Amino acid sequence: AAPCDIYASGGTPCVAAHSTTRALYSAFSGALYQVKRGSDGATTDIKPLAAGSVANGPAQDTFCAGTTCLISVIYDQSGRGNHLTQAPPGGFQGPEANGYDNLASGIGAPVTLDGQKAYGVFVSPGTGYRNNNAKGIAVRDEAEGMYAVLDGTHYNDGCCFDYGNAETSGRDTGNGHMETIYFGDNTVWGSGAGAGPWIMADLENGLFSGPNVKNNAGDPSISHRFLTAVVKGGPNKWAIRGANAASGGLSTYYSGARPNAAGYNPMSKEGAIVLGIGGDNSVGAQGTFYEGVMTTGYPSDATENAVQADVVAAKYAIAPLTSGPALSVGSSVSLRATTSGYTTRYLAHTGATVNTQVVSSSSATALKQQASWTVRTGLATASGGQCFSFEARDAPGSYLRHYNFELRVANSDGSKQFREDATFCTQAGLSGSGTVSVRAWGFPTRYFRHYNNGGYAASNGGVHTFDAAGSFNDDVSWAVATGFA
Ligand code: AHR
Ligand code: AHR
Ligand code: AHR
């Protein structure tokens, strides 16, 4: 049995079931998600390899070969049509045109399930999915349950990496108008034991770790690479539970009465669905979502325990974040532009500014150094040592980073933000021919790009001038060679 079969036999059936990695019903063989590619805007649906099975990740790889892909729809497997699509503007605007949120890259969160390649939904700040017309989701004080499988190492303190029940207007309509799983280390509202991250419940105008508005020491910091998070709520009761999604069982971190603050008992749930954002379309958070469901009725602990056993049996494991030409840690490399007319130019820096410059074996030593980068293991903890950072050859301790999606060279301040902004994952160049493309670990839709000879972390056809779709593939494809210095 799969998760939604288990919830159904427990008398609390799924009313929404979302996953880009696998079927959540043993009989489900329909579309799991849709990807849209950058080259021609075409879309395709990714299905399980067989009924009840793992997503056909290789089909995505084939469809997206030589271009970029975005996850454009995460289908609802429950049959209720509660699909998740690009979130519209709400109380806050998203970064895309007309205030929409960003869509996730197709390749930011590769995994295997029992050895089969699949992709999760890597949510960067700015990314969000929503359904404001969902059917059959709990409203008012009705009971519901939720679980999600997340990456417990990918989080931040922005508001709010949520999955679950939110306002149909995209606006903050008051306390008790939401009920979602939250994951991260935001401390504006609640917190648990230690420094976080924590599984909390976003109940609107509050992230709750237990009955108290602020701290509840019973909610532990938890950061399993694959993390099962559970929130459920009914009339004057709710619970938070969590587990390692790769082994063992669920622990209960809170189970009891509604919070001791006005507006949360009874609840005023509205029945829309969010993923990766707050109820009011706050878009500051990051995290990774692999699968999750919402039920009608308050699931028993025993039902959830059986779901957790099924998640463990799915055998989630990490998959490579890099591909293409190998870079060797400790070596010095140069990256030469391959766009016609610019092939004598190399990725370089002039002080903090990143640009391309014409460099050759007869250039001055200073310029050679400015166009040479020492390859380091990716500084972002959550990249798991898989990706790379690029230290300036002439400024040890300074690294290539993105800031407002411009590339810069800056001295590391050691912060999580810096380390994540300075971590990049390599892949075979989008234009082929032995080149390499270098995407931002934290924003996998964005690649090292030269534009007007400046250096950017650019997306394919995004809102910035430097995101222009014209010559994107060539501008993000670099010939890698031994550094000049
Ligand atoms: O409850 C925390 C956040 O507060 C909600 O997600 C958002 O709607 C509001 O800003
Ligand atoms: O480059 C995008 C973002 O801009 C970085 O992640 C952040 O440090 C800055 O605000
Ligand atoms: O960086 C040089 C060129 O500037 C890029 O190839 C093009 O996209 C932009 O006009």
Side-chain angles (χ1 to χ4, degrees):
C4 288
D5 306 319
I6 295 166
Y7 280 112
S9 55
T12 52
C14 295
V15 287
H18 301 113
S19 178
T20 56
T21 63
R22 65 174 184 139
L24 299 175
Y25 293 84
S26 50
F28 188 81
S29 58
L32 299 170
Y33 65 106
Q34 181 193 73
V35 286
K36 181 177 186 185
R37 69 185 173 200
S39 51
D40 59 0
T43 60
T44 197
D45 287 342
I46 304 298
K47 298 178 177 177
L49 293 164
S53 179
V54 179
N56 189 349
Q60 175 183 309
D61 293 339
T62 300
F63 182 75
C64 302
T67 186
T68 52
C69 265
L70 299 171
I71 296 173
S72 39
V73 184
I74 304 164
Y75 292 109
D76 172 24
Q77 301 176 31
S78 82
R80 290 176 185 258
N82 290 332
H83 312 310
L84 293 172
T85 57
Q86 185 171 21
F92 292 94
Q93 303 252 313
E96 287 287 359
N98 304 314
Y100 276 72
D101 295 355
N102 294 137
L103 294 169
S105 164
I107 59 170
V111 287
T112 60
L113 279 72
D114 199 15
Q116 307 283 343
K117 179 87 176 283
Y119 294 98
V121 184
F122 188 101
V123 170
S124 309
T127 302
Y129 294 83
R130 195 168 191 121
N131 185 327
N132 282 338
N133 293 295
K135 305 286 186 285
I137 306 298
V139 294
R140 299 178 298 277
D141 207 30
E142 291 170 2
E144 66 179 345
M146 292 161 245
Y147 87 93
V149 177
L150 310 172
D151 177 346
T153 69
H154 183 208
Y155 61 89
N156 72 1
D157 62 3
C159 176
C160 291
F161 183 71
D162 288 346
Y163 173 70
N165 192 330
E167 293 94 338
T168 55
S169 61
R171 291 170 189 278
D172 178 349
T173 49
N175 296 1
H177 283 248
M178 296 179 68
E179 185 168 72
T180 76
I181 293 167
Y182 164 84
F183 181 67
D185 65 348
N186 183 296
T187 56
V188 170
W189 296 282
S191 62
W198 306 281
I199 303 166
M200 297 194 276
D202 190 343
L203 304 181
E204 190 52 275
N205 300 312
L207 302 178
F208 288 89
S209 53
N212 303 313
V213 172
K214 286 294 186 182
N215 188 262
N216 293 278
D219 196 26
S221 294
I222 189 165
S223 55
H224 302 289
R225 174 62 180 77
F226 295 103
L227 172 70
T228 306
V230 170
V231 166
K232 53 185 166 181
N236 199 23
K237 62 176 179 181
W238 69 288
I240 303 175
R241 310 183 74 205
N244 182 343
S247 69
L250 284 162
S251 298
T252 300
Y253 303 135
Y254 178 72
S255 180
R258 288 290 184 180
N260 49 17
Y264 302 102
N265 185 27
M267 294 285 285
S268 307
K269 291 177 254 190
E270 298 190 19
I273 308 173
V274 290
L275 172 59
I277 49 179
D280 57 6
N281 197 44
S282 293
V283 290
Q286 65 184 29
T288 297
F289 175 91
Y290 299 106
E291 61 177 77
V293 311
M294 302 171 69
T295 72
T296 182
Y298 196 82
S300 69
D301 285 2
T303 295
E304 290 165 350
N305 296 346
V307 169
Q308 162 66 8
D310 180 81
V311 168
V312 171
K315 294 199 171 78
Y316 274 92
I318 58 169
L321 280 168
T322 59
S323 64
L327 297 190
S328 118
V329 170
S331 69
S332 173
V333 297
S334 62
L335 294 168
R336 184 174 58 78
T338 64
T339 309
S340 174
Y342 300 92
T343 57
T344 57
R345 305 187 75 94
Y346 289 78
L347 188 72
H349 73 107
T350 306
T353 303
V354 173
N355 49 33
T356 60
Q357 298 197 48
V358 177
V359 189
S360 71
S361 56
S362 53
S363 296
T365 301
L367 180 58
K368 286 179 171 176
Q369 289 191 342
Q370 288 163 9
S372 301
W373 308 94
T374 306
V375 178
R376 301 295 183 198
T377 299
L379 294 172
T381 307
S383 68
Q386 288 207 58
C387 297
F388 302 105
S389 293
F390 296 89
E391 188 176 15
R393 194 75 185 85
D394 56 356
S398 290
Y399 296 85
L400 273 173
R401 72 166 298 178
H402 59 85
Y403 192 90
N404 291 339
F405 307 120
E406 297 176 359
L407 295 178
R408 295 182 178 180
V409 167
N411 197 44
S412 175
D413 62 10
S415 66
K416 179 170 175 285
Q417 183 75 57
F418 183 95
R419 289 182 284 111
E420 293 184 353
D421 289 346
T423 297
F424 299 91
C425 306
T426 49
Q427 62 186 78
L430 294 187
S431 72
S433 308
T435 60
V436 66
S437 288
V438 188
R439 67 178 190 276
W441 169 80
F443 291 85
T445 59
R446 297 190 166 274
Y447 293 82
F448 278 7
R449 181 195 193 161
H450 64 94
Y451 190 85
N452 290 342
N453 302 330
Y456 300 93
S459 69
N460 191 0
V463 296
H464 306 91
T465 307
F466 54 76
D467 295 329
S471 77
F472 184 84
N473 272 20
D474 289 342
D475 291 350
V476 302
S477 297
W478 305 84
V480 59
T482 301
F484 289 99

